[in-house]
Amino acid sequence: MDLNHYIEMAKASRAADGHVMDSGRPIRVLPGYTDLLAAARRAKTERRAVFPLSAVHFQEVAHSVPSPRQRGHVADVMEELSDFTYLPGRPSIVEMEIAAGLDKVYGAPPSYASMPLLGDSALWAFGRSGGFRFFNEITGEDTEAQLREELGDEAFENQLVEMRYFMERKLLEGPQDSEIADLRARGYAPETFQVGTESRLAFELETSATLKKYPSWRRGRLRDLIFAREVTHEGMTAFVHHLQQREEKGLPHELPEAAEMVTLWAAMPQIQVAATMKTRYHRNPGHRWKTNHIADIDALAVAYAYCDALLTDAEARTALSSAPELRSFGAYLPLNAAEMAGWIDSFPEVASPDDHVPHPLRAQPDTKPPAPL
């Protein structure tokens, strides 16, 4: 769900808790969001659905919700529904899709181990693993074993849980105003993300300028043009890096033929979603590109390709729902919060394998008694 829907659910949650004012203004909950929040809570409690966050959520909370207090309210709902579960970011998805595609081209066994779609830390959305390591700051010695022995296993594990929660919560909601000066002295620079986004926005504005110069291209094979630019600008660095990795590991790394290259990139789900959305926007000469479009495309390129449903804004929904080349993905695109609530409630409650103990007499297909000595 887009950030704006989490903001509305945060209002619904506050109103349900009896708050009628926020910053001196009445809390007004838009239609459907009280039902959406209730449906999401039920589905999460009953383990019928997972509501993951993304790198874009993480970045947008910091940049689009200026007040620390308001960020806290939004983070309350995000935390409740997600349990700090995140989708991988586009760079990680690009890397895995390239690896899978090249393995197919070469007819080689998988070169990468399977990667879980969901991670339990905001760092997962940026291609990093969460967790803590303990060192003596003077000697550099690993002190985890010593701390565990001093505290005891149970107390040590409980301390880790508390530390992880504090870290994930602070990462999600961002710093308080009073903390920013000290954080900046330590290297905190959230505007770095904005610089990168603006650079990518400049690339789309350059494309728009080219199309303005050659308007007939908008009526022709525009998607081929956008697809090629998407591959070269967003994927080629990762592609070359992966070929280098394959060479270092002694794996096949020859440059595929032209037709194989087209097939390779055309088979990558998130590249297809991004190319489709950008084509839709560039087809309209009156479209005004903003950094928000770049963020939306980043989030939806992963979510539409790998999630079952997503609630986004009308512009993005139209770009996705009107694309016949994406219909095989099958992600549900509700029109509004009420439709999303109904879709969530339609999920049946199913048995979770985590709740069951395997029957001791249920032999595995390849299980054989040990051979006699």
Side-chain angles (χ1 to χ4, degrees), residues 51-108:
F51 300 89
L53 302 174
S54 70
V56 174
H57 284 122
F58 178 85
Q59 292 155 345
E60 283 186 330
V61 170
H63 289 89
S64 302
V65 186
S67 163
R69 178 183 48 77
Q70 292 174 327
R71 288 201 301 268
H73 296 330
V74 175
D76 286 342
V77 176
M78 287 182 164
E79 174 194 334
E80 178 186 358
L81 297 183
S82 73
D83 285 335
F84 304 121
T85 300
Y86 286 82
L87 290 162
R90 276 195 75 189
S92 297
I93 293 289
V94 167
E95 183 178 351
M96 296 301 292
E97 290 181 350
I98 289 173
L102 284 174
D103 290 337
K104 185 76 172 179
V105 168
Y106 299 139

Side-chain angles (χ1 to χ4, degrees), residues 316-340:
R317 182 188 182 280
T318 299
L320 294 170
S321 63
S322 62
E325 68 272 16
L326 300 182
R327 287 174 187 163
S328 61
F329 289 2
Y332 178 59
L333 291 166
L335 281 168
N336 50 46
E339 282 195 7
M340 186 68 159

Side-chain angles (χ1 to χ4, degrees), residues 140-215:
E141 180 185 0
D142 188 328
T143 60
E144 180 174 333
Q146 178 184 344
L147 288 171
R148 184 180 288 275
E149 183 177 357
E150 292 175 355
L151 294 174
D153 285 341
E154 183 176 356
F156 182 81
E157 292 298 332
N158 289 339
Q159 187 71 31
L160 283 181
V161 169
E162 292 180 12
M163 291 169 62
R164 176 187 172 274
Y165 172 81
F166 179 79
M167 180 187 75
E168 294 299 334
R169 177 66 193 209
K170 293 298 289 184
L171 285 171
L172 181 58
E173 72 177 11
Q176 298 295 310
D177 290 343
S178 59
E179 300 170 329
I180 291 178
D182 181 60
L183 289 171
R184 283 199 176 279
R186 300 168 183 266
Y188 176 68
E191 62 275 3
T192 303
F193 159 71
Q194 194 71 9
V195 171
T197 303
E198 288 175 356
S199 173
R200 296 169 65 209
L201 172 63
F203 183 78
E204 301 306 330
L205 294 175
E206 178 187 310
T207 304
S208 292
T210 301
L211 294 173
K212 184 176 181 180
K213 186 177 180 180
Y214 302 101

Side-chain angles (χ1 to χ4, degrees), residues 95 98-99 102 106 111-112 235-256:
E95 183 178 351
I98 289 173
L102 284 174
Y106 299 139
S111 57
Y112 271 47
M236 195 51 65
T237 299
F239 179 76
V240 172
H241 179 65
H242 183 68
L243 286 182
Q244 292 171 339
Q245 287 182 321
R246 296 182 75 97
E247 181 178 12
E248 293 169 0
K249 295 177 181 179
L251 299 172
H253 59 275
E254 297 79 15
L255 190 67

